[in-house]
Amino acid sequence: MECEPLAIQDVKRIIPDILSDERGYFSEMFKLDWFQRTVANVNFVQDNESLSIRAGTVRGLHFQVAPYSQGKLIRCSRGSIYDVAVDLRTDSDTFGQWVSTELSSETGEQIWIPPGFAHGFMTLQPDTIINYKVTAPYSSAHDRGVKWDDPAIGITWPTLERYFLSDKDRKQPPLRELPSPFAD
């Protein structure tokens, strides 16, 4: 496996080694000791999976506040997504900035998003499944979000004919209205 930082150094792309032959392929998707040594010294407590039926489904931008702040390791096991992380750490030089990468079942690449970031994605194909490991359990009392298309953040989402969002995601506040959830 390889690990490469994205434009915001704390967010990392994980590139698996894939061994292929006429039968198919084999790949290690996660190895705790390698991850803790190379990416982040964290422990994962929960695995999640989501299915999005339509291309253009937007989920996010979500995060949780302390004491349930989550780091996330995201992988697309079917289809493809445009995955985004927004830095919400007010003491960071990259506060309010975002990075993105495309994840697909074909490449097996993953993205590590540490606590202090909002996360969201848009499906690029129908019937897309993502799997993600998190460093804290889900807590509805600590669940927060930020507007997916906030012009102050300026995410360049793929242009599709139509976007599909939950009511919850349509009503998220812009970044300027968020209290400072990740200030030291």
Side-chain angles (χ1 to χ4, degrees), residues 13 43 57 67 75 95-96 98 104 107 120 133 147 158 163-164:
R13 180 182 299 123
N43 290 309
T57 298
R75 179 172 72 90
F95 172 76
W98 60 278
S104 74
T107 68
K133 296 180 174 304
K147 191 171 176 58
Y163 302 106
F164 303 93

Side-chain angles (χ1 to χ4, degrees), residues 78-95:
R78 182 167 70 193
S80 61
I81 63 172
Y82 182 78
D83 204 86
V84 176
V86 178
D87 192 348
L88 298 180
R89 303 168 300 171
T90 54
D91 60 345
S92 167
D93 292 340
T94 55
F95 172 76

Side-chain angles (χ1 to χ4, degrees), residues 3-65:
C3 174
E4 66 181 38
L6 296 182
I8 298 175
Q9 297 288 311
D10 294 335
V11 180
K12 298 187 168 59
R13 180 182 299 123
I14 315 298
I15 305 156
D17 294 324
I18 299 174
L19 306 171
S20 300
D21 63 22
E22 68 279 353
R23 299 169 298 163
Y25 73 88
F26 172 83
S27 183
E28 290 180 342
M29 290 284 115
F30 179 75
K31 199 174 199 178
L32 182 61
D33 63 336
W34 178 89
F35 190 90
Q36 289 177 331
R37 255 190 350 270
T38 310
V39 182
N41 190 13
V42 297
N43 290 309
F44 293 102
V45 300
Q46 185 173 315
D47 280 10
N48 300 320
E49 179 174 283
S50 74
L51 164 68
S52 297
I53 296 169
R54 300 180 204 150
T57 298
V58 176
R59 294 182 186 255
L61 301 162
H62 303 145
F63 62 96
Q64 288 190 175
V65 296

Side-chain angles (χ1 to χ4, degrees), residues 136-161:
Y138 174 73
S139 169
S140 61
H142 298 85
D143 185 36
R144 304 287 188 278
V146 65
K147 191 171 176 58
W148 75 283
D149 60 351
D150 183 348
I153 299 171
I155 297 169
T156 308
W157 293 98
T159 304
L160 297 176
E161 192 172 303

Side-chain angles (χ1 to χ4, degrees), residues 63 95 145-147 150 152 171-181:
F63 62 96
F95 172 76
V146 65
K147 191 171 176 58
D150 183 348
K171 296 174 183 174
Q172 295 293 359
L175 183 61
R176 72 177 184 281
E177 293 178 13
L178 282 182
S180 301

